[in-house]
Amino acid sequence: GVARPKIQVEVFLELLCPFSCRMYNTLYEGVLPALKGDPGFDFILHQTVQPWHSQCVPIHEAALALKQVAPEYYAEYVHALYAAYTAKAFTDEITIDKTRGQLYQEAVALLPDAVKDKSDEIKGLLDKGAMVQEIKWACKFHRARGVHVTPTVFVNGIEAGAVSSGWTKEQWLDFLKAQANSTIGK
């Protein structure tokens, strides 16, 4: 048979957004395991800093630092950050009086066990401000793509406005199946 073209799904998420959290958890816990072994889909997470989540920058920086040091644990770490957010650890009300350094410490404490030995390297990147330029590039990228709210999803470079943060695993899989079927033979 003819192999179908790969479908690229770009997900723009804010790490302290409840709607992004809901979408990520559905993807991480349900959709991606259901698609495991299917080479036809490529999911890309783009961190999208939103100014109305006033303390989000240090959390985003920590995730970018982990991605730089141990990219294979990035998805797991983002999941841990969302779990902490769900447990109210990083809500605006809780973080309002915390310093950037305190937020770094809390974020680093959530590193996956497999990379705890790299925590000094990650802290070093954060303490030096090495992730500031990464944040700037992420902001420029999502602005250039026209992403203004989170979550926002693009499929093969086109915004998929119908996608909702409230979708179930089944709704995602139906949507992705339709995307795969529409690209066959093109």
Side-chain angles (χ1 to χ4, degrees):
V2 176
R4 74 171 193 261
K6 185 170 273 217
I7 296 171
Q8 185 180 69
V9 181
E10 296 174 276
V11 184
F12 289 79
L13 301 176
E14 155 64 77
L15 297 180
L16 298 186
C17 168
F19 305 104
S20 292
C21 178
R22 184 182 317 143
M23 181 178 282
Y24 187 81
N25 287 338
T26 299
L27 291 170
Y28 185 83
E29 296 168 4
V31 175
L32 295 177
L35 294 174
K36 192 167 182 86
D38 186 333
F41 296 96
D42 186 21
F43 282 81
I44 301 169
L45 168 62
H46 297 293
Q47 290 179 220
T48 309
V49 175
Q50 298 289 15
W52 47 87
H53 294 292
S54 59
Q55 303 289 49
C56 72
V57 172
I59 306 308
H60 277 276
E61 288 176 314
L64 289 170
L66 175 276
K67 187 176 183 182
Q68 199 170 88
V69 171
E72 65 276 19
Y73 294 100
Y74 178 65
E76 180 183 346
Y77 185 51
V78 170
H79 191 252
L81 291 170
Y82 277 131
Y85 173 78
T86 301
K88 307 292 186 211
F90 294 123
T91 61
D92 288 342
E93 298 81 23
I94 298 298
T95 61
I96 194 73
D97 293 323
K98 293 185 179 181
T99 67
R100 187 181 201 101
Q102 288 170 319
L103 291 170
Y104 285 156
Q105 287 175 341
E106 291 179 24
V108 169
L110 297 171
L111 289 172
D113 289 339
V115 293
K116 291 281 187 195
D117 63 326
K118 298 189 183 289
S119 63
D120 286 342
E121 185 178 353
I122 291 167
K123 284 183 210 171
L125 288 171
L126 297 171
D127 292 342
K128 295 191 308 197
M131 295 296 97
V132 172
Q133 186 60 49
E134 297 297 320
I135 291 290
K136 289 178 183 179
W137 284 116
C139 288
K140 287 178 182 181
F141 181 72
H142 78 76
R143 289 175 182 168
R145 296 290 299 276
V147 174
H148 300 287
V149 296
T150 56
T152 297
V153 174
F154 284 72
V155 176
N156 293 337
I158 300 170
E159 186 174 349
V163 176
S164 169
S165 63
W167 274 12
T168 64
K169 173 181 93 172
E170 291 74 23
Q171 288 171 300
W172 266 102
L173 293 174
D174 288 346
F175 172 77
L176 294 170
K177 181 179 177 184
Q179 296 301 310
N181 290 338
S182 72
T183 61
I184 291 178
K186 293 185 180 178

